[in-house]
Amino acid sequence: MTDVRPGALEGIRVVDWTIWQFGPVAATMLGDLGADVVKIESLDGDPGRAVFAAGGVDRSLPAGRNAYFEANHRNKRCIALDLKQPKGVKVVHELVGSADVFIQNFRKGVAERLELGYETLKEINPRLVYASGSGYGPEGPDSELPALDAAAQARSGLMYATGPDGAEPYPVQGVVGDQIGGITLGFGILAGLVARSIHGIGQKVDVSHLSSSIWLQGLAVSMGMLTQHKPDSEINLSSKPSRDDAYNPLANYYRCRDGRWIMVADFQADRYWPSFAAALSLGELVDDPRFHDTLARGENRRELIGILDDVFSRKAYADWAEILERSGDHIFSLVQTLPELANDPQVIANGYIADVEHPDLGTVKLADHPVRYSETPHSIRSVAPELGQHTEEVLLELGYTWDDITGLQDLGVIL
């Protein structure tokens, strides 16, 4: 039975003039909440439509589609326009007149040159929430520079947060710099809509790759800044030790007999130490002067980690999971691969990965909207659109006639 309850943003119109992943993710999240998202593309399409390989993996799909674009553009209608022609810009202005949100993530100055900057659009619609995704923020010497995920991870320090001290920098996989940028931009847009509801004003919201990637590491950055004056503080504020030098061995990961890894996250180590040691048949170590409290275990961490490595290697993960569950309220988890998520019973029970019917691909699985709403459920109502799929539909809604549409096609403004 279809859920007929409205989404949280049903009745909100979003004009999505974005490319790649940063901006599109924000618009997709709004679409999941019921917003009518109209995606504007150039006549040759979003560059994401051409990503047929990513991370060294073939991402192509039947019917000329690719996984990168499909993942970033559900719940949208697409209109293809030549914005170098005044009639194309006029269509966008007309869309903005009845819109609530406008999103763009082009380099500084591009929107202004095409008469799509904030100052222009707020004259058309003073209540508009104008969302801008930038590389490094709207001000400063690098405000005009472009950025993508890898640059965001590099500039924000994230690449040095992925390995032990002294290791060469390495990016987090999964294009997380773009993803957190889109999530943060979506948060800013929602705040803008709430402010409009309360105060009756539109405004410009700016989120950058740099700001969102710093906030992704907000705890590490803030703690590092607060303690950088201490004698043992490292210049690298996001530094972390290698696995065999973890200060708290009860917050570390260990390889089990079956080759699987278990992540133990008992950060309140003194609370958990007695039952943890007993569970691993190491009860004789509970009061051992080398390990009896957090400070002692920290000073002798390499020795204890070596002991734990040996113990965990004797049983399979499932055995250790059963033992730890019986022995107390321990915090631990299997270290999973991405493909395993689809079969994770907890993921399935909560619907964190959705089964979606696709006109070209059949039933496909997509990462679902991450928030659950008791009264205004999210939904995936449509898959990523084909280029220009809804151009005529949207123009008719704006009051264009079929003769008008034919004229725009003859001029090359639309496909």
Side-chain angles (χ1 to χ4, degrees):
M1 181 176 177
T2 302
D3 196 330
V4 297
R5 293 175 297 171
L9 295 183
E10 188 167 318
I12 295 293
R13 169 166 284 186
V14 178
V15 179
D16 170 18
W17 182 45
T18 65
I19 56 175
W20 295 114
Q21 182 180 353
F22 182 173
V25 164
T28 291
M29 294 187 74
L30 302 180
D32 289 349
L33 299 182
D36 174 22
V37 180
V38 178
K39 178 175 175 61
I40 299 170
E41 295 187 59
S42 61
L43 299 187
D44 56 356
D46 184 311
R49 290 187 182 273
V51 180
F52 292 102
V57 178
D58 180 3
R59 302 297 183 181
S60 62
L61 297 170
R65 296 177 179 263
N66 73 71
Y68 179 89
F69 192 83
E70 293 294 316
N72 290 327
H73 291 285
R74 65 187 184 224
N75 288 334
K76 298 180 183 182
R77 298 190 291 165
C78 175
I79 177 170
L81 295 169
D82 181 356
L83 296 181
K84 295 179 181 178
Q85 297 198 47
K87 289 183 180 294
V89 175
K90 180 174 179 288
V91 171
V92 181
H93 286 178
E94 290 170 338
L95 277 170
V96 166
S98 61
D100 301 281
V101 178
F102 181 88
I103 314 176
Q104 63 93 4
N105 66 325
F106 289 86
R107 292 177 65 169
K108 185 176 182 178
V110 172
E112 288 73 19
R113 286 197 300 272
L114 293 175
E115 297 183 35
L116 297 176
Y118 175 59
E119 296 301 324
T120 298
L121 298 192
K122 77 174 184 178
E123 293 298 318
I124 297 172
N125 184 349
R127 289 172 53 84
L128 185 70
V129 175
Y130 185 105
S132 174
S134 61
Y136 302 109
E139 308 297 335
D142 295 335
S143 60
E144 296 184 7
L145 296 181
L148 286 173
D149 169 76
Q153 292 198 41
R155 187 67 175 266
S156 68
L158 186 57
M159 284 179 65
Y160 271 121
T162 59
D165 289 347
E168 63 183 39
Y170 193 81
V172 180
Q173 300 303 293
V175 203
V176 297
D178 275 350
Q179 192 76 10
I180 191 60
I183 295 168
T184 310
L185 187 58
F187 174 89
I189 291 167
L190 292 178
L193 289 172
V194 171
R196 189 185 69 172
S197 175
I198 296 172
H199 307 296
I201 56 172
Q203 63 184 299
K204 183 179 181 181
V205 174
D206 186 280
V207 170
S208 71
H209 272 114
L210 182 58
S211 71
S212 55
S213 292
I214 289 174
W215 185 243
L216 178 62
Q217 309 167 85
L219 177 62
V221 171
S222 294
M223 288 198 306
M225 296 291 183
L226 289 166
T227 59
Q228 63 181 324
H229 64 284
K230 293 183 177 293
D232 59 349
S233 178
E234 297 289 340
I235 293 175
N236 179 11
L237 302 180
S238 61
S239 64
K240 67 184 182 70
S242 60
R243 191 194 69 82
D244 59 2
D245 195 36
Y247 186 81
N248 177 8
L250 276 68
N252 202 10
Y253 48 103
Y254 300 92
R255 188 191 293 271
C256 303
R257 187 181 66 192
D258 56 354
R260 302 309 304 267
W261 290 84
I262 183 171
M263 180 72 215
V264 181
D266 286 344
F267 284 91
Q268 292 178 280
D270 286 340
R271 168 189 170 188
Y272 288 109
W273 173 237
S275 62
F276 179 80
L280 274 62
S281 298
L282 297 173
E284 73 278 5
L285 298 183
V286 171
D287 296 319
D288 188 311
R290 297 170 298 168
F291 311 127
H292 75 284
D293 63 13
T294 295
L295 182 60
R297 287 189 297 273
E299 291 176 348
N300 298 286
R301 55 191 178 275
R302 286 183 175 271
E303 184 177 359
L304 181 54
I305 290 170
I307 293 171
L308 297 178
D309 275 338
D310 177 60
V311 172
F312 276 110
S313 71
R314 299 175 189 174
K315 297 180 186 294
Y317 171 81
D319 296 325
W320 285 122
E322 182 179 351
I323 289 168
L324 289 174
E325 286 173 358
R326 288 200 314 260
S327 63
D329 192 25
H330 293 286
I331 303 171
F332 67 92
S333 176
L334 175 67
V335 180
Q336 295 199 120
T337 63
L338 293 183
E340 289 179 298
L341 294 176
N343 297 314
D344 185 318
Q346 197 63 25
V347 173
I348 294 170
N350 289 282
Y352 291 150
I353 292 180
D355 288 325
V356 179
E357 292 303 316
H358 194 291
D360 296 318
L361 309 176
T363 302
V364 298
K365 292 184 181 295
L366 297 174
D368 206 354
H369 189 84
V371 186
R372 295 295 175 265
Y373 309 85
S374 66
E375 303 302 326
T376 55
H378 70 279
S379 61
I380 299 179
R381 303 174 302 283
S382 62
V383 301
E386 296 180 20
L387 178 60
Q389 179 178 341
H390 304 95
T391 300
E392 290 88 351
E393 177 182 303
V394 172
L395 290 174
L396 290 169
E397 291 173 1
L398 291 174
Y400 284 71
T401 66
W402 282 109
D403 287 341
D404 296 330
I405 292 171
T406 299
L408 291 176
Q409 289 173 328
D410 291 341
L411 292 172
V413 176
I414 62 175
L415 295 175

